[in-house]
Amino acid sequence: MNKSKQSGLDIDLGNRCSKIAFEWAKKTFDFRSAGSGNPLPGLDGAFSNVMDLGGVKIGMASDGVGTKIELAERTKIYHTIAFDLVAMVVDDLAANGLEPVNLSNILDVDALDAAVIDRLMEGLYQAAKVARVTVTGGEIAELGSRISGYGDGMHFNWAATGLAILPPGREVIDGSKVQVGDRIIALKSQGFRSNGFSLLRRIMNEQFGDAWHQAAYGEGKTWGQALLTPSRIYTPLIVDLIKADFEIHGIAHITGGGIGDNLQRVLKINGFGAVLDRLFEPPHFMRKVQELGQVSEAQAYRLWNMGNGMLLVVKAEQAEAVVQFAAKQQYQAQIAGTVQKESAIELKSRGMEPQTLIYHLKEKDS
């Protein structure tokens, strides 16, 4: 059992609960006939689901910001948290080769504050501009004491659902075309994105007390500002790579479960593994949190992206060209590893105690 005593989270239990929920959801697939909105078969474990609407393929994904919202409440910086919301949704869709087009959001609050709402929605506008999506729906619900948070002011929870299209002539990217010898390209992450904040906040509180967000981090920032670093949205790069006819065989969005769990979702379809020996280093403040909390390499790479927000599996002969294409679009990318026949992921970590971590692939239907 991989329960984190430090964070109070049990990722394996979360995975089991997600599987229970999905098994019930799959029972509803028979409610729509072929071509009338039924999900495509064979995408269990994919980052999003794809429906067939009269030959038009539509993808859908939902997610939320999670407890990173507390950082916005602590710092009173509200205009960047939407980048985390949008990234969590559209990057899941892009991970299956889809082009996100629309977003609908639900903002649950304890009590309304028009100024805060304005800042949040300004951020949503800016994040949608980067992701190239339209915000076509939403709701603000006042829930009173059902919503709580840090300090004074409006407390909130924020979630969204995104829709995407599969352009005619394109195929869903699900890992089925991954081949031994394919290169794995890492896209650099600028922070924690929206994962592992329960452990993060616990470490900060133990080190600096309740007002930890005001403690000086360095570089002219407080710890609150550093940890609030918004998520990079990778969708525009992926969409443009596909339109430029690069052969992308698999995409892993590195969220909860880290590199090991999320890359497995791509590789296990063909039973392959990988060697990852040149991943990006984690940002300085991420490694510093690891050191402050004495978080093991295995734990850190299970909860956080450790500097790698997305992994692309591409044909070996196109790998360098993909890296160069990314650089032209202001994304840092590098060849981080290679797909191997052996069904295990061998990862050379780059945290406070670099070592080799091994992840044995789970069964396809697990």
Side-chain angles (χ1 to χ4, degrees):
M1 183 176 184
N2 290 310
K3 183 170 181 177
S4 166
K5 294 181 180 179
Q6 292 173 299
S7 68
L9 297 178
D10 186 340
I11 293 175
D12 291 326
L13 177 59
N15 289 340
R16 290 198 298 274
C17 288
S18 293
K19 182 179 179 181
I20 290 171
F22 186 57
E23 288 301 322
W24 278 106
K26 282 200 300 184
K27 295 178 185 295
T28 71
F29 290 3
D30 292 336
F31 297 167
R32 302 297 302 178
S33 58
S36 69
N38 63 304
L40 299 182
L43 289 181
D44 291 21
F47 290 89
S48 57
N49 227 322
V50 183
M51 287 75 68
D52 182 0
L53 291 168
V56 178
K57 305 301 190 300
I58 302 292
M60 180 182 292
S62 300
D63 210 335
V65 181
T67 59
K68 188 174 182 177
I69 284 173
E70 184 180 309
L71 271 294
E73 294 176 346
R74 284 176 173 268
T75 62
K76 306 301 181 184
I77 298 172
Y78 296 105
H79 67 286
T80 63
I81 199 74
F83 280 81
D84 303 291
L85 176 67
V86 173
M88 294 305 102
V89 175
V90 300
D91 285 350
D92 266 0
L93 290 164
N96 286 123
L98 306 170
E99 181 175 352
V101 291
N102 306 121
L103 196 78
S104 180
N105 68 111
I106 295 179
L107 182 66
D108 293 331
V109 306
D110 58 349
L112 290 170
D113 184 319
V116 174
I117 296 292
D118 186 61
R119 294 297 277 160
L120 291 173
M121 293 304 152
E122 177 192 357
L124 184 59
Y125 165 83
Q126 295 294 344
K129 182 178 180 180
V130 171
R132 305 177 202 158
V133 300
T134 61
V135 180
T136 52
E139 178 180 349
I140 300 174
E142 293 183 77
L143 301 182
S145 61
R146 296 292 297 176
I147 300 294
S148 61
Y150 179 87
D152 298 327
M154 188 186 89
H155 304 121
F156 63 99
N157 185 52
W158 209 1
T161 294
L163 289 178
I165 59 173
L166 184 68
R170 303 290 183 185
E171 296 181 355
V172 175
I173 296 175
D174 60 1
S176 60
K177 292 190 174 181
V178 170
Q179 303 172 11
V180 173
D182 281 352
R183 298 295 186 263
I184 300 173
I185 295 174
L187 301 182
K188 189 173 184 179
S189 170
Q190 57 195 19
F192 287 94
R193 291 172 76 78
S194 281
N195 301 106
F197 272 83
S198 293
L199 175 57
L200 245 173
R201 291 182 294 111
R202 180 166 181 170
I203 292 171
M204 290 292 100
N205 191 73
E206 290 174 349
Q207 293 293 320
F208 303 110
D210 185 61
W212 55 262
H213 58 286
Q214 298 174 348
Y217 160 68
E219 302 175 3
K221 296 181 179 180
T222 64
W223 268 107
Q225 291 170 325
L227 300 183
L228 189 59
T229 299
S231 296
R232 190 78 196 272
I233 299 173
Y234 301 108
T235 288
L237 172 62
I238 294 170
V239 169
D240 289 349
L241 281 167
I242 293 171
K243 288 182 177 179
D245 290 327
F246 283 98
E247 252 189 75
I248 303 178
H249 292 162
I251 305 173
H253 184 192
I254 311 305
T255 55
I259 292 172
D261 276 11
N262 288 289
L263 184 56
Q264 282 194 46
R265 295 165 73 173
V266 174
L267 298 178
K268 69 180 183 181
I269 291 178
N270 290 329
F272 297 144
V275 174
L276 298 170
D277 54 8
R278 194 169 176 264
L279 291 164
F280 281 108
E281 293 184 2
H284 177 270
F285 58 82
M286 188 177 288
R287 181 179 288 167
K288 185 64 177 177
V289 170
Q290 184 189 6
E291 293 172 354
L292 289 172
Q294 287 299 292
V295 181
S296 69
E297 292 287 279
Q299 173 84 332
Y301 275 84
R302 190 91 196 273
L303 289 175
W304 304 323
N305 63 69
M306 295 301 280
N308 305 269
M310 190 81 84
L311 299 179
L312 311 181
V313 184
V314 305
K315 291 182 65 173
E317 54 266 36
Q318 292 187 347
E320 287 292 350
V322 169
V323 171
Q324 294 172 15
F325 188 97
K328 290 179 181 178
Q329 296 210 22
Q330 308 304 309
Y331 288 88
Q332 287 185 264
Q334 65 187 32
I335 300 173
T338 305
V339 175
Q340 64 174 2
K341 186 175 181 180
E342 292 75 13
S343 58
I345 296 172
E346 180 180 313
L347 183 159
K348 292 188 177 179
S349 73
R350 304 193 68 179
M352 67 178 185
E353 295 181 345
Q355 58 190 260
T356 298
L357 302 174
I358 304 294
Y359 304 90
H360 294 285
L361 265 65
K362 303 169 186 175
E363 294 298 323
K364 183 178 178 180
D365 60 354
S366 66

